[in-house]
Amino acid sequence: MLVTAEEIENGIRKLMEGGNECGEDIKQRVKEMSEKSKVVVVEGGSFYNSVGLLIKDFMNNMHTHSMSD
């Protein structure tokens, strides 16, 4: 069975705009996840720090390998 983008969009709209408790719960969870995802990518966030450490590790490894050649 093939589902079109329009059918998916309509289903999501019905769920989110239906005014039912389930739709409100989903809206709240999406909002919370959005806020959490923004926090990790800003300077000082966990993703930002992890990528920074990865880059430093790459740079150190490149420097170490170039000296041993």
Side-chain angles (χ1 to χ4, degrees):
M1 173 180 210
L2 183 64
V3 180
T4 66
E6 184 178 344
E7 290 172 314
I8 293 171
E9 179 182 355
N10 288 338
I12 291 172
R13 285 189 191 280
K14 284 180 186 176
L15 182 63
M16 298 296 285
E17 296 172 355
N20 60 31
E21 199 171 304
C22 183
E24 293 301 317
D25 184 47
I26 291 172
K27 284 182 190 178
Q28 182 61 35
R29 290 185 3 219
V30 167
K31 183 178 179 181
E32 289 170 4
M33 291 304 295
S34 173
E35 292 167 0
K36 288 178 182 178
S37 66
K38 289 175 186 174
V39 169
V40 299
V41 296
V42 296
E43 187 171 349
S46 61
F47 179 78
Y48 182 93
N49 291 335
S50 294
V51 170
L53 292 172
L54 180 64
I55 292 170
K56 284 181 183 179
D57 189 45
F58 284 152
M59 297 300 288
N60 287 337
N61 284 331
M62 287 176 54
H63 180 69
T64 302
H65 289 307
S66 68
M67 291 180 66
S68 64
D69 290 336

